[in-house]
Amino acid sequence: MPGVEGPTASSSKVKTKAKQRYLKRKKERRKQRSKGYGEVQDGEVAVDDVEDDVDAVDDDDRAGSPENSNPTTPLPSKPKRPKKRRRVEDEDDDDAMAVDTENLSPKTSPERPRTPGTLPALPSFPLPALPNAPSKSELALLGLDRALVGAELIPPSTILPIPLAKEDGGTRLSERTRRRLRDIGVTELFAVQTALLPFLLSEESNELYQPFDPPRDVCVSAPTGSGKTLAYVLPIIETLSERVVTRLRALIVLPTRDLVTQVRETIEVLSKGTKLRIGTATGQHSFAHEQSQLVQDQTDVLYGGSSKVDILICTPGRLIDHIVGTPNFSLQHLRFLVIDEADRLLAQSFQDWLAQVLAATRSQPSISEEERRKLNSDWNALRPDSCSPIVLDGLSQPYIPAFFPETKSTSCQKLLFSATLTQDPGKLAALGLRDPKYFIVKGEDKDRAQSNLLDVVMEKFSMPATLREHMTVMDPSQKPLIFFHIVQTYKIRNALVFTKSAESTTRLVRLFEFFERERTQNADSSTLVVRSYSSDLPVQERKTILEQFKNEKINLLVCSDLISRGIDISNVAHVISYDVPVDMRKYVHRVGRTARAGREGDAWTLVEQQEVHISLYLEIDVTDSCTLKQKARYFKQMMKDADHFDRIRRIKVNERDLEPLLPYYASALQNLKDLYTRQN
């Protein structure tokens, strides 16, 4: 075509020179790469080489094109190509290396070729998995005393008749004691007594002192009203009835004065005909009066102490007072140490009473050399039970050769009793128990021994089979009205009504008295007698009220938790928890005041739906509880955790059922408000 020239020799020469320059640069780059990164693998071309090839071809094309023959002509701009790594392989090689990767496992998959200078991929590991959480039963058994795991489980239905013949019938009781039990109406032993009496009165442990082979300690967990008091009173009387010299050999520690009075009455009745002397120390009388009743001689310090009583029943605070401040008051002769309601006593320090008592049973008084010589000269005149073996170790006894040296230890046997016995290892360790034996009254089937033990450990306490339980949920403002409705509808008499404090007890009694006065003015019915029983009352007045209630002169006894433990009143037919107990243990002790010794009884619990702010004159005290606290939910959950919720019958009270009582209730509230207004 005109104006267009074909390729000339000069243009071909220019192309050849450009090719030479390209080859030279390529050779130099390969030398540099081989020094820094190693040789390029076969079948692989570096990216830089490819890019140089492309640039070189472009240069050749531009140099040989007609447009580029004129150096003044500007070259058209071309877009840059993306830098890529190309794999230069033959088709035959691809077929030879083809692998079915779909059917290969991760372990057998072919290793991918690595490019120079890259690190291998990290191996993959499975994610860590958490172990299965232990069950509640497994957690409950952790740290448990081995002796508790091997506890002897006793079905509650176990009984043992008391025979009148010369044979004891397996009770191990003397004929005098069996006759005495028959005289007071006891014809058979309950479950806890059938297991404990043969153990404590066996031939090996029935001796007064056993310094070389001391008896085992005992821990007993049994429902309320199952006869725990007789279980330890009878062995004490049987063992000490043959004593010659009066020494303090049995110490019974109880949490309240009322329990002390009750246990003393039981011992006095059963020990009639023996020469055993019983004493009490509760602080009800002056300290000097108690000293004169307990100690024979306070002037001279006697070796081994002096005592007027064989059995002492006391509260822990008063006991410490006598240990510290009464001369010749000694526990070195102690044979039995009974701790009743042990979970409550161990939970409260009482001036560290337990450590001081245990130290007093082991300590030996320091005596002068003159006193020691006097005692040694009168060695043959000493009676066997005048001094305990642990005390006699301080004297120079006649030499008796022996092949094996034997050490003496105190013969004090610890007996722990409670319906809710603690399993806290720390509290049990403080007791220093000696090879303890556990007795647990729980379950009807011995084949479920392990399950019954877990129920005890997880605080699933047993209740009397003759107990009927009820609950009703209400608004707090209607709580007194519903309480009056239940009393009138179900004709509740001989009832204990538990509140949360002494102040609540007083308010509820006054409100009930105003209500009864308004109700009986317009109806031909007798007025119910209601009285309060709390720690605010003097001791003598409390004793009088309790006697009137036992004689059924009082219909309802409104009380605090002062008598929720251990008190045995045979005519209690109903127990009403006006304020919900704070824990399962307190609930067990409250309802245990009825349905005792095989008798029937009813337990009622008034549960508030929620707490609200109300006036001071109402019976609900909001200062010690949180506002809007869901008490109903808490009580239900507490019963479900103890596997006890199914036994409780729920009672619903309709508004129309309360209408007949509303006028009397409104008038009673106004009278109570006026009374508190005048007092303030």
Side-chain angles (χ1 to χ4, degrees):
M1 292 179 63
V4 179
E5 297 180 355
T8 60
S10 61
S11 62
S12 61
K13 289 181 180 180
V14 172
K15 182 177 180 181
T16 301
K17 291 180 179 180
K19 188 68 174 179
Q20 290 176 353
R21 289 195 301 272
Y22 156 70
L23 294 175
K24 184 177 180 181
R25 290 197 301 270
K26 182 177 180 181
K27 187 175 181 180
E28 292 175 354
R29 284 196 297 272
R30 284 185 176 179
K31 289 181 179 180
Q32 295 176 358
R33 193 180 296 112
S34 62
K35 293 179 180 180
Y37 303 101
E39 296 293 333
V40 179
Q41 297 180 0
D42 295 336
E44 200 172 45
V45 179
V47 177
D48 295 338
D49 297 344
V50 175
E51 294 173 354
D52 291 340
D53 293 342
V54 174
D55 295 339
V57 172
D58 294 341
D59 292 342
D60 294 343
D61 293 341
R62 285 193 297 269
S65 62
E67 293 82 3
N68 295 337
S69 58
N70 188 2
T72 61
T73 304
L75 296 176
S77 61
K78 294 182 66 177
K80 294 184 179 179
R81 298 182 182 180
K83 297 183 180 181
K84 296 182 179 179
R85 180 180 297 279
R86 294 192 305 171
R87 185 87 174 172
V88 182
E89 296 178 346
D90 297 334
E91 294 181 359
D92 295 340
D93 297 338
D94 293 340
D95 296 338
M97 297 297 295
V99 180
D100 186 8
T101 58
E102 295 180 358
N103 298 327
L104 289 177
S105 62
K107 294 183 179 180
T108 59
S109 59
E111 184 179 358
R112 298 180 60 184
R114 238 177 36 237
T115 57
T118 60
L119 297 176
L122 293 175
S124 61
F125 297 96
L127 295 177
L130 294 176
N132 296 330
S135 62
K136 290 184 178 180
S137 60
E138 293 175 347
L139 292 175
L141 292 176
L142 292 178
L144 202 63
D145 189 2
R146 293 184 179 180
L148 181 57
V149 177
E152 180 176 341
L153 299 173
I154 312 161
S157 58
T158 305
I159 59 173
L160 183 62
I162 300 176
L164 289 176
K166 292 184 178 180
E167 292 77 12
D168 59 14
T171 61
R172 298 294 179 91
L173 296 174
S174 64
E175 186 177 356
R176 185 205 63 81
T177 303
R178 285 185 275 119
R179 189 182 303 109
R180 187 61 186 157
L181 288 173
R182 285 278 185 173
D183 293 341
I184 64 176
V186 180
T187 60
E188 59 186 16
L189 300 179
F190 292 156
V192 63
Q193 299 160 4
T194 59
L196 198 58
L197 292 183
F199 180 82
L200 294 178
L201 296 177
S202 61
E203 295 180 359
E204 294 80 8
S205 60
N206 198 21
E207 299 179 4
L208 189 59
Y209 291 120
Q210 304 172 53
F212 299 112
D213 186 17
R216 300 175 63 183
D217 295 332
V218 174
C219 300
V220 178
S221 177
T224 56
S226 59
K228 292 188 294 295
T229 303
L230 281 183
Y232 64 78
V233 167
L234 291 176
I236 290 176
I237 294 176
E238 287 288 301
T239 304
L240 303 185
S241 59
E242 301 298 329
R243 66 100 177 95
V244 178
V245 179
T246 300
R247 292 289 186 270
L248 178 55
R249 293 187 173 91
L251 178 64
I252 303 174
V253 186
L254 299 166
T256 62
R257 296 175 179 176
D258 300 311
L259 275 178
V260 170
T261 303
Q262 177 178 293
V263 173
R264 175 166 186 167
E265 293 174 355
T266 302
I267 297 178
E268 287 177 344
V269 170
L270 293 175
S271 64
K272 187 177 181 180
T274 66
K275 297 181 180 180
L276 294 177
R277 301 178 181 179
I278 299 97
T280 58
T282 60
Q284 182 176 352
H285 302 284
S286 65
F287 189 65
H289 176 76
E290 289 184 351
Q291 286 179 327
S292 63
Q293 297 296 317
L294 298 180
V295 178
Q296 183 73 32
D297 188 2
Q298 301 184 45
T299 56
D300 298 329
V301 178
L302 301 177
Y303 191 70
S306 172
S307 178
K308 285 185 177 182
V309 298
D310 299 286
I311 303 172
L312 176 61
I313 315 164
C314 60
T315 54
R318 201 59 163 180
L319 174 61
I320 296 302
D321 293 339
H322 285 289
I323 291 177
V324 175
T326 302
N328 287 331
F329 181 83
S330 174
L331 301 181
Q332 297 176 26
H333 307 276
L334 213 58
R335 175 62 174 81
F336 295 99
L337 173 59
V338 180
I339 304 177
D340 203 352
E341 303 297 339
D343 58 325
R344 178 175 176 181
L345 289 176
L346 295 179
Q348 302 177 5
S349 60
F350 291 112
Q351 304 175 3
D352 200 15
W353 71 272
L354 182 59
Q356 296 193 49
V357 169
L358 295 179
T361 61
R362 297 187 294 262
S363 63
Q364 301 180 24
S366 58
I367 61 175
S368 63
E369 190 64 27
E370 181 180 356
E371 292 174 338
R372 187 184 301 275
R373 287 195 301 268
K374 181 180 179 181
L375 287 172
N376 289 335
S377 62
D378 297 338
W379 175 265
N380 296 326
L382 292 176
R383 291 189 174 95
D385 62 350
S386 61
C387 293
S388 65
I390 194 66
V391 175
L392 294 177
D393 283 344
L395 305 177
S396 57
Q397 305 177 14
Y399 173 73
I400 301 176
F403 294 101
F404 302 100
E406 295 178 322
T407 58
K408 297 179 180 180
S409 60
T410 175
S411 298
C412 179
Q413 186 176 23
K414 308 179 192 70
L415 308 178
L416 276 68
F417 292 83
S418 181
T420 53
L421 189 64
T422 180
Q423 289 91 36
D424 189 342
K427 295 178 181 178
L428 294 177
L431 286 166
L433 297 178
R434 180 171 49 212
D435 190 15
K437 173 70 174 178
Y438 283 82
F439 294 91
I440 299 175
V441 179
K442 176 72 177 179
E444 294 289 345
D445 189 1
K446 290 186 178 181
D447 296 335
R448 297 182 64 253
Q450 184 66 19
S451 177
N452 292 331
L453 176 60
L454 288 175
D455 290 345
V456 174
V457 174
M458 300 176 70
E459 296 191 352
K460 298 178 181 179
F461 306 110
S462 59
M463 302 287 186
T466 55
L467 177 66
R468 297 179 294 268
E469 300 173 74
H470 319 271
M471 67 170 288
T472 178
V473 181
M474 72 210 69
D475 188 85
S477 61
Q478 294 184 333
K479 186 176 179 180
L481 180 60
I482 292 179
F483 168 66
F484 301 150
H485 167 75
I486 291 176
V487 171
Q488 297 296 331
T489 303
Y490 296 95
K491 300 185 182 303
I492 293 179
R493 306 293 185 272
N494 300 329
L496 289 176
V497 183
F498 287 98
T499 61
K500 60 188 175 183
S501 64
E503 184 180 359
S504 298
T505 298
T506 304
R507 284 200 302 266
L508 182 59
V509 168
R510 289 177 177 174
L511 182 63
F512 193 89
E513 289 175 344
F514 288 136
F515 176 83
E516 282 293 296
R517 188 177 64 184
E518 295 293 333
R519 184 184 65 85
T520 55
Q521 286 178 354
N522 302 320
D524 296 333
S525 59
S526 59
T527 303
L528 296 179
V529 180
V530 57
R531 293 293 302 272
S532 63
Y533 186 95
S534 65
S535 57
D536 292 345
L537 301 176
V539 176
Q540 190 60 37
E541 185 177 354
R542 293 209 307 259
K543 185 177 180 180
T544 303
I545 292 175
L546 206 58
E547 289 296 328
Q548 292 177 352
F549 181 72
K550 291 180 180 180
N551 297 329
E552 299 185 6
K553 295 181 180 180
I554 296 176
N555 303 119
L556 278 77
L557 187 62
V558 183
C559 53
S560 60
D561 285 308
L562 180 66
I563 60 174
S564 65
R565 287 177 175 262
I567 292 295
D568 185 16
I569 305 175
S570 59
N571 64 324
V572 176
H574 301 270
V575 170
I576 302 176
S577 290
Y578 185 80
D579 291 317
V580 176
V582 296
D583 55 25
M584 190 63 189
R585 291 175 178 267
K586 186 164 290 187
Y587 178 82
V588 170
H589 287 285
R590 281 185 179 182
V591 302
R593 299 311 100 207
T594 186
R596 299 173 67 87
R599 295 183 291 268
E600 294 184 351
D602 293 88
W604 310 78
T605 305
L606 278 61
V607 185
E608 302 171 14
Q609 184 63 38
Q610 63 183 11
E611 283 281 355
V612 295
H613 287 296
I614 55 177
S615 301
L616 179 63
Y617 63 86
L618 289 181
E619 77 292 346
I620 303 173
D621 188 3
V622 300
T623 59
D624 57 352
S625 58
C626 298
T627 306
L628 302 179
K629 180 180 179 181
Q630 298 293 335
K631 284 192 173 182
R633 182 182 302 175
Y634 169 78
F635 180 76
K636 292 178 182 178
Q637 188 62 43
M638 181 177 68
M639 292 295 139
K640 290 178 181 178
D641 293 340
D643 289 343
H644 196 71
F645 187 70
D646 295 337
R647 289 194 54 179
I648 302 178
R649 175 190 173 192
R650 181 163 180 174
I651 299 175
K652 294 184 179 180
V653 181
N654 299 321
E655 293 290 338
R656 62 176 178 270
D657 298 333
L658 302 177
E659 290 179 358
L661 302 178
L662 283 176
Y664 313 136
Y665 177 59
S667 178
L669 277 180
Q670 185 61 40
N671 291 334
L672 183 64
K673 184 178 181 180
D674 295 341
L675 176 63
Y676 274 93
T677 302
R678 290 193 302 268
Q679 291 180 353
N680 295 332

Coordinates of all heavy atoms in Angstrom, one line a residue, residues 224 343-344 348 420 459 461 463 498-501 560-565 575 577 579-593 634-635 638-639:
T224 N -37.8 -36.3 114.4 CA -38.4 -35.8 115.7 C -39.5 -36.7 116.2 O -40.3 -37.3 115.4 CB -38.9 -34.4 115.5 OG1 -39.9 -34.4 114.5 CG2 -37.8 -33.4 115.1
D343 N -26.5 -30.4 116.0 CA -26.3 -29.5 114.9 C -26.4 -28.0 115.3 O -25.6 -27.1 114.9 CB -27.2 -29.7 113.7 CG -28.7 -29.6 114.1 OD1 -29.0 -30.0 115.3 OD2 -29.5 -29.2 113.3
R344 N -27.3 -27.7 116.2 CA -27.5 -26.4 116.7 C -26.3 -26.0 117.7 O -25.8 -24.9 117.6 CB -28.8 -26.2 117.4 CG -29.0 -24.8 118.0 CD -30.4 -24.7 118.6 NE -30.6 -23.4 119.3 CZ -31.7 -23.0 119.9 NH1 -32.8 -23.8 119.9 NH2 -31.8 -21.8 120.5
Q348 N -23.0 -23.0 117.1 CA -22.8 -21.8 117.9 C -21.6 -22.0 118.9 O -21.5 -23.1 119.5 CB -24.1 -21.5 118.7 CG -25.3 -21.3 117.8 CD -26.6 -21.0 118.6 OE1 -26.6 -20.9 119.8 NE2 -27.7 -20.9 117.9
T420 N -31.5 -33.5 112.5 CA -30.8 -33.0 111.3 C -29.3 -32.9 111.7 O -28.7 -31.9 111.7 CB -31.3 -31.6 111.0 OG1 -31.3 -30.7 112.1 CG2 -32.8 -31.6 110.5
E459 N -29.6 -33.7 102.8 CA -30.6 -33.1 103.6 C -32.0 -33.3 103.1 O -32.8 -32.4 103.1 CB -30.3 -31.6 103.8 CG -29.0 -31.3 104.5 CD -28.8 -29.8 104.8 OE1 -29.7 -29.0 104.4 OE2 -27.9 -29.5 105.5
F461 N -34.6 -35.0 104.6 CA -34.9 -35.6 105.9 C -36.3 -36.3 105.8 O -37.1 -36.0 105.1 CB -34.9 -34.5 107.0 CG -33.7 -33.7 107.0 CD1 -33.7 -32.4 106.6 CD2 -32.5 -34.2 107.5 CE1 -32.5 -31.6 106.7 CE2 -31.3 -33.5 107.5 CZ -31.4 -32.2 107.1
M463 N -39.8 -37.6 107.4 CA -40.9 -37.1 108.3 C -41.7 -38.3 108.8 O -41.7 -39.4 108.2 CB -41.8 -36.2 107.5 CG -41.1 -35.0 106.8 SD -40.7 -33.8 108.1 CE -40.0 -32.5 107.0
F498 N -46.0 -20.9 115.1 CA -44.7 -20.4 115.1 C -44.6 -19.1 114.3 O -45.0 -19.0 113.1 CB -43.7 -21.4 114.5 CG -43.5 -22.6 115.4 CD1 -44.1 -23.8 115.2 CD2 -42.5 -22.5 116.4 CE1 -43.9 -24.9 116.0 CE2 -42.3 -23.6 117.3 CZ -43.0 -24.8 117.1
T499 N -43.9 -18.1 114.9 CA -43.6 -16.9 114.2 C -42.1 -16.7 114.1 O -41.4 -17.5 114.7 CB -44.3 -15.7 114.9 OG1 -43.7 -15.6 116.3 CG2 -45.8 -15.8 115.0
K500 N -41.7 -15.6 113.5 CA -40.2 -15.4 113.3 C -39.5 -14.7 114.4 O -38.3 -14.6 114.4 CB -40.0 -14.7 112.0 CG -40.6 -13.3 111.9 CD -40.5 -12.7 110.5 CE -41.3 -11.4 110.4 NZ -41.3 -10.9 109.0
S501 N -40.3 -14.0 115.3 CA -39.7 -13.3 116.4 C -40.6 -13.1 117.6 O -41.8 -13.4 117.4 CB -39.2 -11.9 115.9 OG -40.4 -11.1 115.5
S560 N -42.2 -18.4 119.4 CA -41.1 -18.3 118.5 C -40.4 -19.7 118.4 O -40.9 -20.7 118.9 CB -40.1 -17.3 119.0 OG -39.6 -17.6 120.3
D561 N -39.3 -19.8 117.7 CA -38.6 -21.0 117.6 C -37.9 -21.5 118.8 O -37.1 -22.4 118.8 CB -37.5 -20.9 116.4 CG -38.2 -20.9 115.1 OD1 -39.0 -21.9 114.8 OD2 -37.9 -20.1 114.3
L562 N -38.2 -20.9 120.0 CA -37.6 -21.2 121.2 C -38.0 -22.7 121.6 O -37.1 -23.4 122.2 CB -38.1 -20.3 122.3 CG -37.6 -20.6 123.8 CD1 -36.2 -20.3 123.8 CD2 -38.4 -19.7 124.7
I563 N -39.2 -23.2 121.2 CA -39.6 -24.5 121.6 C -39.7 -25.4 120.3 O -40.5 -26.4 120.3 CB -40.9 -24.5 122.4 CG1 -42.0 -23.9 121.6 CG2 -40.7 -23.9 123.7 CD1 -43.4 -24.0 122.3
S564 N -39.1 -25.0 119.2 CA -39.2 -25.8 118.0 C -38.3 -27.0 118.0 O -38.5 -27.9 117.2 CB -38.8 -24.9 116.8 OG -37.4 -24.6 116.9
R565 N -37.5 -27.1 119.0 CA -36.6 -28.3 119.1 C -36.8 -29.1 120.4 O -36.7 -28.5 121.5 CB -35.1 -27.9 119.0 CG -34.6 -27.4 117.7 CD -33.2 -26.9 117.7 NE -32.7 -26.6 116.4 CZ -31.9 -27.4 115.7 NH1 -31.6 -28.6 116.1 NH2 -31.5 -27.0 114.5
V575 N -49.6 -27.9 114.0 CA -48.4 -27.0 114.0 C -48.7 -26.0 112.8 O -48.8 -26.5 111.7 CB -47.1 -27.7 113.9 CG1 -46.0 -26.7 113.6 CG2 -46.8 -28.5 115.1
S577 N -47.1 -22.8 110.8 CA -46.0 -21.9 110.6 C -46.5 -20.6 110.0 O -46.8 -20.5 108.8 CB -45.0 -22.6 109.6 OG -44.3 -23.6 110.2
D579 N -45.1 -17.7 110.0 CA -44.0 -17.2 109.2 C -43.2 -18.4 108.6 O -42.9 -19.3 109.4 CB -43.1 -16.3 110.0 CG -43.8 -15.0 110.4 OD1 -44.5 -14.4 109.5 OD2 -43.6 -14.6 111.5
V580 N -42.9 -18.3 107.4 CA -42.3 -19.5 106.7 C -40.9 -19.7 107.3 O -40.1 -18.8 107.5 CB -42.1 -19.2 105.2 CG1 -41.4 -20.3 104.5 CG2 -43.5 -19.0 104.6
P581 N -40.5 -21.0 107.6 CA -39.1 -21.2 108.1 C -38.1 -20.9 107.0 O -38.3 -21.0 105.8 CB -39.2 -22.7 108.4 CG -40.3 -23.3 107.6 CD -41.3 -22.2 107.5
V582 N -36.9 -20.5 107.5 CA -35.9 -20.0 106.6 C -35.2 -21.1 105.9 O -34.5 -20.9 104.9 CB -34.9 -19.1 107.3 CG1 -35.6 -17.8 107.8 CG2 -34.2 -19.8 108.5
D583 N -35.2 -22.3 106.5 CA -34.5 -23.4 105.8 C -35.2 -24.7 106.2 O -36.1 -24.8 107.0 CB -33.0 -23.5 106.3 CG -32.8 -23.6 107.8 OD1 -33.8 -24.0 108.5 OD2 -31.8 -23.2 108.3
M584 N -34.8 -25.8 105.5 CA -35.4 -27.1 105.7 C -35.3 -27.7 107.1 O -36.2 -28.3 107.6 CB -34.9 -28.1 104.6 CG -35.7 -29.4 104.5 SD -37.4 -29.1 104.0 CE -38.1 -30.7 104.2
R585 N -34.1 -27.4 107.7 CA -33.9 -28.0 109.0 C -34.9 -27.4 110.0 O -35.5 -28.1 110.9 CB -32.5 -27.6 109.5 CG -31.4 -28.4 108.7 CD -30.0 -28.0 109.1 NE -29.0 -28.7 108.4 CZ -28.4 -29.8 108.9 NH1 -28.8 -30.2 110.1 NH2 -27.5 -30.5 108.3
K586 N -35.2 -26.1 109.9 CA -36.1 -25.5 110.8 C -37.5 -26.0 110.6 O -38.3 -26.1 111.5 CB -36.0 -23.9 110.7 CG -36.9 -23.2 111.7 CD -36.4 -21.7 111.8 CE -35.1 -21.6 112.5 NZ -34.7 -20.2 112.7
Y587 N -37.8 -26.2 109.3 CA -39.2 -26.8 109.0 C -39.3 -28.2 109.6 O -40.4 -28.5 110.2 CB -39.3 -26.8 107.5 CG -40.7 -27.4 107.1 CD1 -41.8 -26.7 107.0 CD2 -40.8 -28.8 106.7 CE1 -43.0 -27.2 106.6 CE2 -42.0 -29.3 106.3 CZ -43.1 -28.5 106.3 OH -44.3 -29.1 105.9
V588 N -38.3 -29.0 109.5 CA -38.4 -30.3 110.1 C -38.6 -30.3 111.6 O -39.4 -31.0 112.1 CB -37.1 -31.1 109.8 CG1 -37.0 -32.4 110.5 CG2 -37.0 -31.4 108.3
H589 N -37.9 -29.4 112.3 CA -38.0 -29.3 113.8 C -39.4 -28.8 114.2 O -40.0 -29.2 115.2 CB -36.9 -28.5 114.4 CG -35.6 -29.2 114.4 ND1 -35.3 -30.2 115.2 CD2 -34.5 -29.0 113.6 CE1 -34.1 -30.7 115.0 NE2 -33.6 -30.0 114.0
R590 N -39.9 -27.8 113.4 CA -41.2 -27.3 113.7 C -42.3 -28.3 113.6 O -43.1 -28.5 114.5 CB -41.5 -26.1 112.8 CG -40.9 -24.8 113.1 CD -41.4 -23.7 112.2 NE -40.8 -22.4 112.5 CZ -41.1 -21.2 111.9 NH1 -42.0 -21.3 110.9 NH2 -40.5 -20.1 112.2
V591 N -42.4 -28.9 112.4 CA -43.5 -29.9 112.2 C -43.3 -31.1 113.1 O -44.3 -31.9 113.3 CB -43.6 -30.3 110.7 CG1 -43.9 -29.0 109.9 CG2 -42.4 -31.0 110.2
G592 N -42.1 -31.3 113.6 CA -41.9 -32.5 114.4 C -42.5 -32.4 115.8 O -42.4 -33.3 116.6
R593 N -43.1 -31.2 116.1 CA -43.8 -31.1 117.4 C -45.1 -31.9 117.5 O -45.7 -32.0 118.5 CB -44.0 -29.6 117.8 CG -42.8 -28.7 117.9 CD -41.8 -29.3 118.8 NE -40.7 -29.9 118.0 CZ -39.9 -30.9 118.4 NH1 -40.1 -31.4 119.6 NH2 -39.0 -31.3 117.6
Y634 N -39.6 -19.4 96.9 CA -38.5 -19.9 97.7 C -39.0 -21.2 98.5 O -38.2 -22.2 98.5 CB -38.0 -18.9 98.6 CG -37.1 -19.4 99.7 CD1 -35.7 -19.6 99.4 CD2 -37.5 -19.6 101.0 CE1 -34.9 -20.1 100.3 CE2 -36.6 -20.1 101.9 CZ -35.3 -20.3 101.6 OH -34.5 -20.8 102.6
F635 N -40.1 -21.1 99.1 CA -40.6 -22.2 99.9 C -40.8 -23.5 99.0 O -40.5 -24.6 99.4 CB -41.9 -21.8 100.6 CG -42.5 -22.9 101.4 CD1 -41.9 -23.3 102.6 CD2 -43.6 -23.7 101.0 CE1 -42.5 -24.3 103.4 CE2 -44.1 -24.7 101.8 CZ -43.6 -25.0 103.0
M638 N -37.5 -25.0 98.0 CA -36.9 -25.6 99.2 C -37.5 -27.0 99.4 O -36.8 -28.0 99.6 CB -37.1 -24.8 100.4 CG -36.5 -25.4 101.7 SD -36.7 -24.3 103.1 CE -38.4 -24.4 103.4
M639 N -38.8 -27.1 99.2 CA -39.5 -28.4 99.3 C -39.1 -29.4 98.2 O -39.0 -30.6 98.4 CB -41.0 -28.3 99.4 CG -41.4 -27.6 100.7 SD -41.1 -28.6 102.1 CE -40.5 -27.3 103.3

